[in-house]
Amino acid sequence: MTKQASELKPILFVVSSNAVKGATGIPTGYNLAEVTHPLEKLQAAGIQVEFASILGGDAPLDGLEDMKDPVIVRYWADADFRHAISHTQCIDDVDPSRYSAIFFAGGHGTMWDFPDNAAAQKAIREIDAAGGIVSAVCHGPAALVNARRADGSLLVAGKRVAAFTNGEEEEVESTHVVPFLLASTLNERGAQHQNAANWADNVVVDGRLITGQNPQSAASLGIALRDALLA
């Protein structure tokens, strides 16, 4: 590692504002492990993180997860974290030039409010054009399916990526709930989706694009993002 954390601009963590799975009425939102596990790795290295969501304000949680997970327990008890995640910036108000990287956390909510959000796509395009890193985990890559580079080309075209797999979607019985299958759609956009076994820790780094498959990949993604930023 050659850079110091103090030299870096912050990383922008983006979470879903969508609290319901389409017309089903089933509650959803962002995945807590997919925020806290990368956050722990980055903060331990002294890297600053700021939070945004599609609508701003209090981000909806996709169910309170395993409170035996020490990382989740620590952050859920941390007043600063709880304030940050309940007072997120609206993505429309974000200045992408302030950030060295953008990270899209998952949770099923993302499947409805990430893909077509113009401000999220603008942030991706400008951070990528400035030489920054674009990253996402689990359903977070829903933000990437329509994202384009400054030259108009699809961001994921020709890139190796990881995301929540069709098999995992089937296992959680959401194949017919989500508006599209994420892994299939990434492939349709020209990506090379790297399919690992269900719930395997799978992170793919392809240049300045870093993606992970599922909640089990969140900590490893944080490490990969940290190492890329400090390289």
Side-chain angles (χ1 to χ4, degrees):
M1 295 182 183
T2 56
K3 288 181 188 166
Q4 298 297 313
S6 58
E7 300 173 45
L8 295 174
K9 297 176 183 179
I11 298 171
L12 184 67
F13 272 40
V14 185
V15 296
S16 176
S17 293
N18 182 60
V20 182
K21 294 181 182 178
T24 65
I26 301 168
T28 188
Y30 74 91
N31 182 288
L32 189 56
E34 293 167 21
V35 172
T36 56
H37 281 258
L39 183 63
E40 179 199 37
K41 302 303 182 185
L42 295 163
Q43 288 186 331
I47 298 170
Q48 285 187 287
V49 172
E50 296 179 4
F51 294 92
S53 63
I54 299 302
L55 298 178
D58 194 3
L61 182 62
D62 193 357
L64 191 57
E65 295 162 68
D66 185 2
M67 293 307 280
K68 295 175 184 173
D69 180 322
V71 177
I72 289 177
V73 169
R74 178 162 70 85
Y75 276 101
W76 202 241
D78 184 290
D80 290 339
F81 172 74
R82 292 287 290 275
H83 183 272
I85 205 69
S86 63
H87 295 78
T88 61
Q89 299 177 75
C90 176
I91 191 73
D92 289 353
D93 299 329
V94 162
D95 175 4
S97 69
R98 295 191 58 249
Y99 301 100
S100 60
I102 191 166
F103 166 69
F104 292 91
H108 269 105
T110 64
M111 295 292 285
W112 284 268
D113 66 353
F114 274 12
D116 297 311
N117 184 269
Q121 292 183 19
K122 176 177 182 282
I124 292 167
R125 184 171 62 252
E126 293 187 8
I127 289 169
D128 174 69
I133 294 171
V134 176
S135 59
V137 73
C138 197
H139 287 95
L144 309 181
V145 296
N146 296 321
R148 293 184 180 272
R149 298 187 183 279
D151 65 4
S153 64
L154 286 164
L155 181 83
V156 298
K159 291 287 190 177
R160 293 178 300 107
V161 299
F164 204 65
T165 68
N166 294 350
E168 287 167 329
E169 205 71 82
E170 187 174 342
E171 194 170 323
V172 299
E173 300 181 349
S174 294
T175 299
H176 300 295
V177 174
V178 292
F180 59 92
L181 289 174
L182 181 53
S184 294
T185 303
L186 286 164
N187 282 333
E188 288 167 10
R189 300 294 192 268
Q192 300 164 23
H193 182 260
Q194 309 292 291
N195 208 72
N198 287 7
W199 318 115
D201 181 352
N202 178 31
V203 171
V204 174
V205 179
D206 192 335
R208 291 181 290 103
L209 181 63
I210 302 175
T211 48
Q213 179 169 316
N214 47 33
Q216 290 75 15
S217 310
S220 296
L221 186 139
I223 291 168
L225 181 52
R226 175 201 70 193
D227 291 351
L229 285 165
L230 296 176

